[in-house]
Amino acid sequence: MKLIVCIKQVPDTTEVKLDPKTGTLIRDGVPSIINPDDRAALEVALKMKDANLGTTVTVICMGPKQADAAVREALAMGADSAIIVSDRAFAGSDTWATANVISSAIQKIMDYDLVFCGRQAIDGDTAQVGPQIAERLNIPQVTYARSVKVLGDSRYEVCRELDDEQQIVEVTGPALITVVHGLEPIRYPDFRRIFQAYSGVFEVLNWSQEELKIDANKIGLKSSPTNVKCTFPPELRKSGIRLEGTNEEMVKQLFDNMLGEHILKRRA
Amino acid sequence: MDFELTKAQEQFRKTIRGFTENEIRPIAGAVDRYEATVDDNIKKLAALHINGIAIPVEEGGAGGDHVCYAIACEEVAKACTSTATLVSAKLAGLLIEMLYYYGTPAQKEKYLQPFLQGELEGCFGLTEPEAGSDPGRLCTTAIKDGSNYIINGTKTFITGAPLADFAIVMASTNKSLGTKGITAFLVDCDTPGFSKGKPEQKMGQRGLPVGELIMKNVVVPETAIIGKEGMGFRLAMKSLDCGRLGIASVALGIAEGAYEAAVKYSKERVQFGAPICNNQAIQFMLTDMKMRIDAAQLLVYRAAVSKDKGSSSFPFEASMAKVYASEVAMFVTTKAVQIHGGYGYMNDYPVERMMRDAKLTEIYEGTSEIQRMVLARTILK
């Protein structure tokens, strides 16, 4: 089997702070990580590789040059090769433009059985890119997956993890699967492979707009149909008030407060 | 001059730090309290191919370098010294160097490869009840008997002994020659006449299995000798330098772990209406701790770089790093307990454990006093 995993490098939002004036992320000094759902997607692919001899895993990462670190980490975890899709022309792409770029990279690879994506990225949280890629490639998609079983004859059984139920669905490849993190343990990078990943043992390709032969009107900020109106940090919710006293006293306090906040109005 | 880690070393640090936070830190307190062995985590790390960190992949190692050796010991020691000391012996140091540099191909295949893969545990036996800093007083003897040797004697305070499947045993093959009559033997722990004492109970590093090796008429073949007869002490001394780098890194990590705990606590603990970190008395302690830690780290990393470059100054630098870092570990952990006040003395907080753990770093792999003697010898040469 030939598996493709799309990953994104994101700021570690557990350590990120918002600039209170501009409402944008302060990225200075914030470590970058592989997006958690993407890491889970990679784990699902690597498990399939472990269980099926001759399976290869190729990682695709669209991003700036620094994305190299994310790709090397994926190789250390067990991916066989990687493609970094990077070009100034891609900067500012929204989900529509990003899906155009990544799907054209996948089309260039041509031969594949499954494409994996994380459900959504922790910086944008749109959960759109995976499904959009599937549409561009005109292949079936299964979203919110937890695990995948190989049934043979290009058929796969996918366990979907939804808010209040699990679904087992069958899909015929080539197909795209988006994966949810936090359900299955994820392997650590292998230490030996870390050193190999940085000494040229694995193939790492760099593809730009030129290699992908993609139209300028399908990529980048200018071609992105999404317009961000404004960004702002959410207002902090006020903490509640604890009422004390007898039931009657507390009910009186409650009504007084609600009147004070103009939630209730005294009848004239 | 460049103080930056390579990208591979950065990724290595990130990975071992993640492993430590997830797997090692959560159980560190319990490991100490119940003297639990940390075997599981050592096996998990072996499966991630961290052992033999600086040995090429073709020879069963990780294909990394000694800077990563230092980083690994440092990062693990921030959370659990017992695990860190075991890690230091699995990644590089005495046992690995003895086998890798001086072992025959057959010895490497039988012992080094399975040791690196985590299938076989080993230990190094030099210290005896009457011979610690002075190996000339070694009482363990190996008497030639045809093509065999018969070993008799007791080794004490041997790190990893309770878990070991094999031991490198230093024994005197010619008493009149002193240290030049010492030979290194590879001995399987299931050889008739070989037994182990019960594990020692210790002040600190209580999850580190340490014990006795007892040999009564243990017969080993000639092929069990590492190097040549009479070369044992020389080979061990060469291999010890790398072990010192490991212990220096462990000591550095303990200091950093205690310092991080002290900074955090000083911001949280409120007295007289303000966090105690607002007091200069606390600030000056934190500053002194951090300055010494950074100085120790520079000594440790410089020694590691020298080892990777094959520089002849490595033994001197490793010794210096070991003395300094271990004394910094003692200084910093003591201050960390002080900053924590009464809570620091209780085992609800990790700093009292770190203080007990730190003490051993001034003693094992050559005491601070022996290091200073060795250093002075080089200075005055």
Side-chain angles (χ1 to χ4, degrees):
Chain A
M1 279 181 297
K2 292 197 169 78
L3 310 178
I4 293 173
V5 183
C6 306
I7 64 167
K8 183 182 186 184
Q9 190 184 43
V10 293
D12 188 350
T13 49
T14 55
E15 300 197 23
V16 94
K17 289 192 177 95
L18 284 174
D19 185 327
K21 280 183 193 146
T22 62
T24 53
L25 298 179
I26 305 169
R27 292 200 181 217
D28 274 1
V30 176
S32 292
I33 56 170
I34 296 176
N35 179 54
D37 280 343
D38 303 353
R39 190 183 280 272
L42 177 59
E43 176 64 34
V44 171
L46 292 175
K47 273 210 190 86
M48 289 174 72
K49 179 187 161 180
D50 292 344
N52 299 279
L53 206 70
T55 300
T56 60
V57 176
T58 300
V59 162
I60 296 182
C61 183
M62 175 176 158
K65 288 274 172 270
Q66 299 90 291
D68 186 75
V71 154
R72 307 279 167 185
E73 186 169 331
L75 291 168
M77 285 172 73
D80 300 278
S81 61
I83 299 160
I84 300 171
V85 183
S86 188
D87 200 308
R88 279 180 185 280
F90 301 154
S93 291
D94 68 356
T95 62
W96 182 83
T98 299
N100 287 341
V101 173
I102 296 176
S103 54
S104 68
I106 293 170
Q107 275 162 340
K108 190 172 156 70
I109 296 172
M110 265 172 32
D111 184 17
Y112 61 91
D113 294 285
L114 288 176
V115 177
F116 288 94
C117 294
R119 167 192 46 181
Q120 65 195 49
I122 54 171
D123 53 354
D125 277 327
T126 66
Q128 290 170 356
V129 174
Q132 285 171 330
I133 294 171
E135 289 302 309
R136 299 287 185 291
L137 297 173
N138 200 22
I139 56 175
Q141 55 177 291
V142 183
T143 53
Y144 296 82
R146 171 191 188 137
S147 58
V148 178
K149 207 153 86 187
V150 181
L151 300 175
D153 298 328
S154 294
R155 290 182 308 119
Y156 307 92
E157 188 185 284
V158 185
C159 176
R160 298 186 74 208
E161 194 79 28
L162 304 175
D163 278 348
D164 48 4
E165 63 176 359
Q166 269 190 353
Q167 286 180 353
I168 308 288
V169 297
E170 212 182 290
V171 65
T172 303
L176 182 140
I177 295 167
T178 77
V179 180
V180 182
H181 86 279
L183 302 163
E184 300 285 336
I186 296 176
R187 71 195 62 196
Y188 295 96
D190 181 280
F191 293 102
R192 188 185 277 173
R193 290 180 71 97
I194 291 175
F195 301 118
Q196 290 174 332
Y198 279 96
S199 56
V201 172
F202 310 116
E203 185 182 62
V204 178
L205 299 173
N206 281 280
W207 287 354
S208 62
Q209 185 190 357
E210 204 185 320
E211 272 93 13
L212 295 180
K213 297 186 176 60
I214 184 168
D215 286 349
N217 61 2
K218 284 185 172 174
I219 55 171
L221 185 66
K222 277 189 187 159
S223 311
S224 292
T226 311
N227 284 308
V228 178
K229 199 175 163 202
C230 72
T231 57
F232 58 91
E235 258 180 63
L236 290 176
R237 272 179 60 184
K238 279 190 214 160
S239 58
I241 306 166
R242 182 181 288 271
L243 302 177
E244 278 170 25
T246 65
N247 283 349
E248 280 173 15
E249 283 165 357
M250 285 194 289
V251 169
K252 186 175 183 315
Q253 278 181 55
L254 180 64
F255 274 89
D256 286 347
N257 285 339
M258 287 166 86
L259 285 165
E261 298 280 335
H262 304 289
I263 298 165
L264 294 180
K265 218 168 153 184
R266 221 179 272 277
R267 232 187 247 172
Chain B
M1 196 85 187
D2 187 359
F3 291 98
E4 301 275 305
L5 296 177
T6 66
K7 285 183 175 162
Q9 289 162 347
E10 288 282 8
Q11 177 66 51
F12 180 87
R13 184 191 286 283
K14 193 173 146 194
T15 305
I16 188 69
R17 185 177 285 171
F19 184 91
T20 301
E21 288 307 315
N22 294 337
E23 317 287 339
I24 296 173
R25 190 182 293 280
I27 60 166
V31 162
D32 174 69
R33 211 158 302 154
Y34 305 113
E35 299 185 296
T37 50
V38 293
D39 220 17
D40 272 2
N41 278 333
I42 297 297
K43 285 207 160 65
K44 278 187 211 166
L45 283 169
L48 290 170
H49 301 108
I50 198 174
N51 293 343
I53 186 120
I55 291 176
V57 173
E58 310 81 66
E59 300 189 61
D65 53 39
H66 288 88
V67 172
C68 286
Y69 177 46
I71 290 171
C73 299
E74 178 189 1
E75 289 296 333
V76 174
K78 284 183 190 174
C80 177
T81 320
S82 298
T83 313
T85 297
L86 279 179
V87 163
S88 81
K90 292 297 271 184
L91 266 57
L94 248 179
L95 196 133
I96 287 178
E97 294 235 326
M98 284 288 277
L99 284 168
Y100 181 66
Y101 288 114
Y102 313 114
T104 63
Q107 288 170 339
K108 284 187 190 179
E109 199 190 317
K110 186 175 173 195
Y111 296 102
L112 184 60
Q113 293 304 331
F115 178 76
L116 294 177
Q117 279 148 39
E119 292 159 3
L120 214 57
E121 295 304 322
C123 63
F124 181 85
L126 171 65
T127 303
E128 296 183 2
E130 301 297 329
S133 297
D134 176 12
R137 286 176 59 98
L138 226 59
C139 293
T140 298
T141 54
I143 307 296
K144 198 160 175 138
D145 178 40
S147 63
N148 292 331
Y149 285 81
I150 302 168
I151 305 177
N152 277 288
T154 299
K155 297 290 175 182
T156 193
F157 306 151
I158 305 305
T159 299
L163 302 174
D165 300 299
F166 72 93
I168 296 178
V169 172
M170 308 298 278
S172 178
T173 38
N174 188 338
K175 274 231 147 170
S176 61
L177 292 175
T179 55
K180 286 181 181 148
I182 295 174
T183 304
F185 292 91
L186 274 161
V187 188
D188 294 317
C189 295
D190 58 3
T191 313
F194 193 106
S195 62
K196 293 176 185 176
K198 68 172 177 15
E200 300 287 349
Q201 304 219 299
K202 303 183 297 303
M203 170 184 178
Q205 304 203 18
R206 286 159 51 89
L208 178 69
V210 170
E212 245 180 353
L213 304 176
I214 303 151
M215 288 151 287
K216 281 184 184 149
N217 295 320
V218 171
V219 180
V220 295
E222 258 176 352
T223 52
I225 292 178
I226 300 178
K228 289 197 173 91
E229 199 182 296
M231 273 174 67
F233 185 68
R234 232 180 68 211
L235 302 184
M237 286 305 108
K238 280 189 179 172
S239 308
L240 259 170
D241 295 327
C242 188
R244 282 174 187 152
L245 172 63
I247 301 308
S249 313
V250 168
L252 170 65
I254 302 171
E256 288 178 279
Y259 166 77
E260 283 165 13
V263 170
K264 182 167 175 277
Y265 183 81
S266 73
K267 288 180 181 171
E268 289 166 0
R269 172 72 170 170
V270 174
Q271 289 289 277
F272 304 108
I276 59 169
C277 68
N278 287 10
N279 302 319
Q280 261 189 353
I282 303 292
Q283 291 171 0
F284 285 7
M285 275 198 261
L286 291 174
T287 319
D288 286 343
M289 290 154 84
K290 180 62 177 159
M291 276 193 298
R292 283 170 168 85
I293 286 170
D294 274 21
Q297 193 178 46
L298 290 172
L299 281 178
V300 168
Y301 286 7
R302 182 185 65 168
V305 169
S306 288
K307 172 74 178 162
D308 286 328
K309 282 185 180 165
S311 160
S312 60
S313 59
F314 171 66
F316 185 77
E317 291 170 0
S319 272
M320 208 149 68
K322 199 256 175 191
V323 182
Y324 190 73
S326 60
E327 291 177 2
V328 166
M330 235 16 249
F331 174 86
V332 170
T333 52
T334 309
K335 292 288 183 213
V337 169
Q338 191 66 25
I339 289 170
H340 280 71
Y343 286 110
Y345 199 70
M346 307 299 153
N347 68 9
D348 298 328
Y349 285 84
V351 286
E352 63 83 28
R353 161 168 54 88
M354 292 169 166
M355 186 175 163
R356 287 184 283 111
D357 288 349
K359 187 61 211 170
L360 185 54
T361 63
E362 292 184 317
I363 298 170
Y364 65 176
E365 218 87 3
T367 62
S368 292
E369 291 68 33
I370 286 293
Q371 306 293 340
R372 283 191 167 86
M373 274 168 54
V374 174
L375 288 168
R377 231 177 268 155
T378 307
I379 291 168
L380 300 173
K381 197 154 66 182

